[in-house]
Amino acid sequence: YEQLLLSGLFPASTDDPATAYDVASLEKALIERVECDTPTESYWKKLCRFTVPEDPSATVVRRKSSDIHALN
């Protein structure tokens, strides 16, 4: 999990991290939650709209572990 942290990703688990979150996205979500009282689902939908405006349901949110290792 240390490699994930050095890459700017926060692991969902320290035992066997298979999922990681972008630290910058977590910070933005926290600001939205605290300042605007935005529910998590609404923030997620907003993120999808900004990612693929013409088709938010086509948003790809997963990276293969091989892609993460390529960052190092």
Side-chain angles (χ1 to χ4, degrees):
Y1 69 92
E2 293 174 10
Q3 289 178 330
L4 292 172
L5 292 172
L6 292 172
S7 298
L9 300 171
F10 188 81
S13 165
T14 55
D15 296 333
D16 185 24
T19 302
Y21 304 95
D22 180 60
V23 173
S25 294
L26 291 173
E27 289 175 355
K28 289 177 185 177
L30 177 63
I31 291 170
E32 287 272 338
R33 180 72 180 144
V34 172
E35 291 184 359
C36 306
D37 199 27
T38 304
T40 305
E41 184 177 359
S42 296
Y43 179 75
W44 173 256
K45 289 178 180 179
K46 175 182 175 181
L47 187 63
C48 290
R49 282 194 314 271
F50 285 141
T51 304
V52 184
E54 53 281 342
D55 186 13
S57 64
T59 302
V60 177
V61 295
R62 295 184 181 171
R63 257 193 219 183
K64 295 178 184 176
S65 60
S66 59
D67 294 341
I68 293 171
H69 294 300
L71 295 174
N72 293 326

